[in-house]
Amino acid sequence: MLCRLRERGTGRLMRILGVDPGKVRLGLAVSDELGITAQGLPTRTSRGRSADLAHFRALVEEWGVGEVVVGLPRNMDGTMGPQAEAARELARDLGEALGLPVALWDERLTTQAATRVLREVGLSRRRRRDRVDAIAAALILQGYLDRARASRQDGAR
């Protein structure tokens, strides 16, 4: 796990982009430069693979992204269905189009957790729908960041 990427030649820390893939909407989140926290970005309504990849290229430039994490929707028993294969295809396409490392991260129950959080803060169903994908992407990315930080701490011992 990379999490503290440095831009070649500059020493500048790079951010990580998190993606919650869906058929209609793509939830997006970005880390801070230290790889500690994830914050949601506006959700993208898919406009086809080539337009979506162009949007990802723009995000990489705008935010200084050096790695991408794509949520992998496993079934509760750990098996992978058609949505998982679509996520793998997206990850492969992102890696080729962006020239960046792309990791897959188990995203079981992130959408349900995001919905629960939004319900608890009292958002209407309509407003929850507009924000749930970005929060799910932030949960995916935060899980990845937390695991990377724990791995670094274990390695330092």
Side-chain angles (χ1 to χ4, degrees):
M1 293 187 197
L2 302 173
C3 262
R4 282 200 167 176
L5 295 171
R6 294 192 182 272
E7 187 175 22
R8 290 187 186 121
T10 69
R12 192 177 111 216
L13 293 174
M14 305 292 289
R15 296 176 188 264
I16 301 173
L17 179 68
V19 182
D20 177 30
K23 291 179 184 176
V24 177
R25 291 182 308 273
L26 300 165
L28 303 169
V30 67
S31 74
D32 65 335
E33 290 180 332
L34 296 175
I36 297 171
T37 62
Q39 47 275 346
L41 295 175
T43 297
R44 166 125 176 122
T45 300
S46 181
R47 294 180 177 91
R49 188 55 54 100
S50 62
D52 292 345
L53 291 174
H55 182 72
F56 281 109
R57 280 188 211 93
L59 288 174
V60 165
E61 287 296 316
E62 177 182 353
W63 289 96
V65 170
E67 182 179 5
V68 179
V69 177
V70 176
L72 182 64
R74 293 179 179 265
N75 296 322
M76 290 308 294
D77 65 1
T79 62
M80 290 189 247
Q83 290 179 328
E85 184 52 39
R88 286 175 180 258
E89 288 175 19
L90 174 62
R92 183 179 55 246
D93 290 350
L94 285 169
E96 291 173 4
L98 303 175
L100 297 174
V102 178
L104 290 164
W105 186 256
D106 187 349
E107 66 154 289
R108 279 180 274 192
L109 301 178
T110 55
T111 299
Q112 291 87 339
T115 301
R116 186 174 53 251
V117 167
L118 292 171
R119 191 178 306 124
E120 287 173 4
V121 297
L123 287 182
S124 68
R125 183 180 298 249
R126 179 181 175 279
R127 293 191 69 193
R128 283 195 309 258
R129 185 189 63 212
D130 293 341
R131 298 191 178 155
V132 70
D133 296 305
I135 292 176
L139 291 171
I140 291 164
L141 180 54
Q142 192 64 57
Y144 181 81
L145 296 171
D146 292 347
R147 174 60 66 95
R149 190 170 45 256
S151 294
R152 284 194 308 272
Q153 290 172 348
D154 288 344
R157 292 180 189 168

